[in-house]
């Protein structure tokens, strides 16, 4: 067979791959029948059709064609070209249109996620058809695997073009979530997972394209919260607001953010909501804490402990203030024979307000034993308890 006939046969078989495989996938995606409600591929091809497509690709890769010194290399090149043509002709124009006053917010995120799901469905089928490339060519030629080629093309022709708008939409919706508005957590998680995938076995894209912007917007948001709460609320209400903000952020992190963002986001909250009011609660040698204890402001004490206990200096000052309260009030109780009742109250405070922290429980126990039994017996009990 002459060279022109061989080349013609190659193009004929490639045309079969396009007509019976690629075009069918594209058509199903545009008709929204390529995947189910969970994004999983529907069965578009029978087992017989899949086997025939694999055989055709195998023939393309293994037969010698004069136009191509390495047939597998040409098939591999065209494999990447499939994505390029589809993304530039069908997907990218959708976002070009939405950039001109079309979709925004959750609608934009929904479109972005749907287009990625379609891309994943296409990849699922093409990996089956081009299995020979994956099993032989990519290994021996030292080129990216088929899945990596798929991700690279999506990143190049879609993600890189729209990531700034997607990030802006995500930050807008996350702020709504922080304000207590109803948002689609599953949609947010799906969109953010795409950032993780675009890093190709790393979180580079997630950190640089999303997380850095999230931390900056979070700092600005919680700075505004601090200023607003300081202007409108007293200390008790401020602690309540701060506690709710931390609880909400924990929920946001567990619901749709990558867990690597957790320490960074919580550090932002501590800097903007706690460090800015540190002096009000821990200045003047803990007088504010002593006041809370003496006035039975148990809920405020609990919130203060929950919010600041990770700061060792704050924890030590809370403990010192508590020990001072136990000693001063306890000494006044001894002459009146109500030390046991006072002990019970202090123990409840340590359990409820300081969450049963050993140091606070021990402070009560040490004081009580020192005042109720002889010194030698007290030392034996404390040694036995490891205090």
């Amino acid at each position: 067979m002459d060279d022109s006939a061989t080349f013609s046969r190659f193009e004929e078989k490639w045309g079969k791959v396009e007509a019976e495989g690629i075009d069918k996938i594209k058509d199903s995606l545009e008709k929204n029948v390529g995947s189910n409600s969970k994004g999983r591929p529907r069965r578009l091809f029978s087992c017989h059709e899949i086997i025939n497509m694999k055989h055709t690709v195998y023939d393309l890769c293994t037969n010698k064609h004069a136009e191509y010194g390495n047939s597998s290399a040409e098939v591999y090149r065209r494999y990447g070209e499939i994505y390029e043509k589809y993304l530039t002709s069908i997907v990218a124009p959708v976002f070009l249109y939405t950039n001109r006053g079309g979709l925004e917010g959750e609608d934009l995120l929904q479109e972005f996620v749907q287009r990625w799901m379609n891309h994943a469905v296409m990849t699922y089928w093409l990996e089956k058809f081009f299995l020979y490339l994956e099993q032989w060519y990519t290994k021996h030629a030292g080129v990216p695997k088929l899945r990596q080629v798929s991700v690279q093309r999506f990143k190049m022709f879609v993600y890189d073009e729209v990531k700034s708008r997607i990030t802006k939409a995500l930050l807008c919706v996350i702020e709504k979530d922080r304000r207590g508005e109803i948002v689609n957590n599953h949609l947010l998680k799906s969109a953010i997972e795409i950032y993780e995938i675009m890093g190709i076995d790393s979180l580079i894209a997630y950190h640089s394209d999303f997380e850095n912007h999230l931390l900056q917007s979070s700092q600005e948001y919680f700075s505004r919260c601090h200023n607003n709460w300081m202007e409108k609320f007293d200390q008790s209400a401020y602690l309540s607001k701060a506690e709710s903000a931390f609880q909400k952020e924990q929920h946001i992190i567990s619901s749709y953010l990558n867990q690597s963002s957790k320490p960074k986001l919580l550090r932002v909250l501590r800097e903007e909501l706690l460090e800015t009011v540190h002096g009000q609660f821990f200045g003047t040698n803990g007088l504010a804490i002593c006041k809370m204890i003496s006035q039975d402001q148990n809920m405020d004490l609990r919130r203060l402990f929950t919010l600041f206990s990770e700061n060792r200096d704050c924890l030590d000052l809370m403990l010192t203030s508590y020990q001072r309260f136990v000693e001063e009030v306890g000494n006044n109780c001894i002459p009146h024979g109500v030390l046991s009742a006072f002990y019970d109250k202090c123990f409840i405070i340590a359990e409820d307000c300081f969450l049963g922290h050993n140091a606070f429980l021990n402070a009560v126990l040490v004081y009580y034993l020192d005042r109720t039994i002889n010194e030698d017996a007290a030392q034996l009990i404390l040694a036995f308890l490891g205090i």
Side-chain angles (χ1 to χ4, degrees):
M1 184 179 295
D2 61 29
D3 292 346
S4 61
T6 302
F7 176 67
S8 175
R9 183 173 176 78
F10 180 93
E11 293 300 330
E12 178 183 339
K13 289 189 174 183
W14 181 257
K16 178 182 177 181
V17 172
E18 289 187 316
E20 299 180 10
I22 300 169
D23 290 346
K24 186 174 181 179
I25 297 171
K26 291 179 179 178
D27 185 60
S28 69
L29 295 179
E30 293 312 301
K31 291 179 180 179
N32 292 320
V33 296
S35 60
N36 59 24
S37 59
K38 296 182 179 180
R40 295 171 182 169
R42 297 185 187 276
R43 177 163 287 280
L44 302 177
F45 302 90
S46 66
C47 292
H48 179 70
E49 289 173 320
I50 295 172
I51 292 172
N52 282 343
M53 198 61 62
K54 287 182 177 180
H55 183 71
T56 301
V57 172
Y58 174 80
D59 284 346
L60 287 169
C61 293
T62 56
N63 291 334
K64 301 297 181 183
H65 306 288
E67 289 291 323
Y68 311 114
N70 185 331
S71 298
S72 293
E74 175 61 17
V75 175
Y76 180 81
R77 184 191 68 79
R78 293 192 182 198
Y79 171 82
E81 199 174 67
I82 295 170
Y83 295 112
E84 181 177 343
K85 289 180 178 179
Y86 174 70
L87 294 172
T88 56
S89 64
I90 303 297
V91 180
V94 172
F95 293 101
L96 180 63
Y97 164 74
T98 60
N99 196 29
R100 297 169 178 169
L103 300 176
E104 59 182 20
E106 289 195 27
D107 292 335
L108 177 60
L109 297 179
Q110 186 65 62
E111 184 68 30
F112 180 63
V113 169
Q114 184 60 55
R115 291 298 172 173
W116 168 252
M117 290 170 58
N118 288 352
H119 187 77
V121 170
M122 175 176 282
T123 302
Y124 170 83
W125 289 111
L126 292 185
E127 282 183 325
K128 287 184 176 294
F129 298 159
F130 292 83
L131 181 62
Y132 179 78
L133 286 178
E134 186 79 339
Q135 292 181 333
W136 185 86
Y137 179 71
T138 59
K139 294 180 180 179
H140 292 81
V143 294
K145 292 183 176 296
L146 301 188
R147 179 64 57 89
Q148 189 171 344
V149 172
S150 166
V151 173
Q152 287 174 339
R153 293 303 191 278
F154 188 88
K155 184 177 187 301
M156 181 184 303
F157 297 108
V158 179
Y159 173 82
D160 285 343
E161 297 298 319
V162 301
K163 62 184 180 184
S164 61
R165 294 170 53 212
I166 299 300
T167 298
K168 183 179 179 180
L170 280 169
L171 297 181
C172 179
V173 178
I174 290 173
E175 184 166 323
K176 289 182 179 180
D177 193 7
R178 284 171 173 158
R179 294 198 301 264
E181 298 181 32
I182 298 176
V183 300
N184 187 335
N185 284 356
H186 178 71
L187 174 61
L188 291 170
K189 183 176 178 62
S190 298
I192 290 170
E193 283 177 346
I194 298 174
Y195 286 81
E196 300 172 1
I197 296 170
M198 292 301 107
I200 307 177
D201 300 326
S202 78
L203 290 176
I204 292 176
Y206 174 83
H207 291 318
S208 62
D209 298 335
F210 172 70
E211 185 187 65
N212 290 344
H213 299 282
L214 172 65
L215 294 176
Q216 178 63 37
S217 69
S218 298
Q219 182 180 21
E220 295 170 355
Y221 173 79
F222 287 112
S223 177
R224 294 195 301 271
C225 288
H226 163 73
N227 294 333
N228 184 44
W229 298 344
M230 288 296 293
E231 180 180 342
K232 293 182 178 180
F233 304 114
D234 60 15
Q235 289 185 347
S236 178
Y238 185 96
L239 287 174
S240 177
K241 289 286 186 180
E243 181 185 49
S244 297
F246 271 85
Q247 292 172 346
K248 182 62 179 179
E249 207 65 17
Q250 293 275 15
H251 176 72
I252 287 174
I253 293 168
S254 63
S255 296
Y256 48 77
L257 296 181
N258 185 281
Q259 292 305 296
S260 66
S261 297
K262 181 176 180 177
K264 304 172 188 177
L265 269 176
L266 295 184
R267 183 167 61 247
V268 169
L269 265 72
R270 284 193 291 270
E271 290 173 353
E272 297 301 327
L273 299 182
L274 303 185
E275 293 181 11
T276 49
V277 296
H278 178 276
Q280 296 187 34
F281 295 103
F282 297 95
T284 61
N285 200 27
L287 289 179
I289 301 171
C290 293
K291 180 181 177 182
M292 288 183 185
I293 299 173
S294 62
Q295 294 182 357
D296 294 329
Q297 296 175 1
N298 292 353
M299 186 60 72
D300 289 345
L301 270 177
R302 182 186 180 93
R303 286 171 177 151
L304 193 71
F305 180 82
T306 301
L307 294 169
F308 287 93
S309 59
E310 290 188 11
N311 184 313
R312 185 64 197 184
D313 292 337
C314 294
L315 181 62
D316 289 343
L317 187 55
M318 281 188 277
L319 178 59
T320 301
S321 301
Y322 184 62
Q323 290 171 328
R324 186 192 313 152
F325 167 80
V326 171
E327 292 177 5
E328 292 178 355
V329 179
N331 290 339
N332 291 327
C333 291
I334 294 175
H336 299 89
V338 292
L339 186 59
S340 293
F342 176 67
Y343 166 79
D344 291 339
K345 176 179 179 177
C346 290
F347 192 82
I348 292 173
I349 293 174
E351 284 282 3
D352 294 348
C353 302
F354 302 112
L355 306 183
H357 192 287
N358 283 337
F360 291 84
L361 293 173
N362 292 343
V364 180
L365 184 58
V366 168
Y367 176 82
Y368 183 74
L369 290 177
D370 282 345
R371 302 303 188 279
T372 56
I373 60 178
N374 67 66
E375 183 177 350
D376 291 338
Q379 291 302 321
L380 285 174
I381 294 174
L382 294 176
F384 175 75
L385 296 174
I387 299 174

